[in-house]
Amino acid sequence: MCSTMNELSAIAKQVYDLEAKKAKKKKELDELEAQIKQLKQETASYMRKRKKNELDVDSFTVLFTPFVKPSFDSKAFIANEEKGKEIYNKYLKGIPMERVTVKLAKS
């Protein structure tokens, strides 16, 4: 608990500085995530062209896993409705996804 305005001022400044530092780190992290996403898309394109699921590059193993993520229109599907499963299957959509994983190769 602060006993003087000077202590409160110092704490407020410290909180402000920490929040600013946190915002800067978050911005840097977002930029790194965007770069990683772009590079993984390029890697997926390369792997897809060569029809490979695994490649050893230098000391890394690059894994490419294409898969279909099921998705559906939730407004069209009611669980307790008669023929609910049929309606679910009717509106079920498969969204093609790709996962790229880079790990150290086993020696």
Side-chain angles (χ1 to χ4, degrees):
M1 184 164 162
C2 302
S3 59
T4 66
M5 284 296 282
N6 289 339
E7 288 179 11
L8 179 62
S9 175
I11 291 173
K13 182 180 181 335
Q14 189 176 11
V15 168
Y16 177 80
D17 291 342
L18 290 173
E19 289 288 340
K21 189 175 181 180
K22 178 182 171 184
K24 184 178 177 184
K25 294 275 186 190
K26 184 178 181 333
K27 183 179 178 186
E28 291 174 6
L29 185 62
D30 291 344
E31 289 172 0
L32 288 174
E33 289 292 333
Q35 289 177 355
I36 290 170
K37 184 176 180 180
Q38 178 194 9
L39 292 172
K40 283 188 173 186
Q41 287 174 346
E42 290 179 23
T43 303
S45 175
Y46 180 90
M47 301 288 277
R48 192 174 34 254
K49 279 183 188 177
R50 279 135 187 94
K51 297 180 181 161
K52 298 285 185 180
N53 290 334
E54 184 176 332
L55 283 175
D56 290 326
V57 181
D58 294 330
S59 60
F60 301 102
T61 300
V62 179
L63 303 170
F64 173 68
T65 312
F67 61 96
V68 177
K69 177 181 173 184
S71 178
F72 66 93
D73 184 356
S74 60
K75 294 176 184 173
F77 176 68
I78 302 172
N80 296 326
E81 184 177 321
E82 185 178 326
K83 297 184 181 179
K85 187 70 173 171
E86 292 175 17
I87 293 172
Y88 173 84
N89 288 332
K90 178 180 176 185
Y91 290 99
L92 186 65
K93 300 174 190 169
I95 300 171
M97 304 287 288
E98 299 168 335
R99 180 179 298 132
V100 174
T101 308
V102 178
K103 61 181 184 176
L104 289 176
K106 294 180 181 177
S107 300

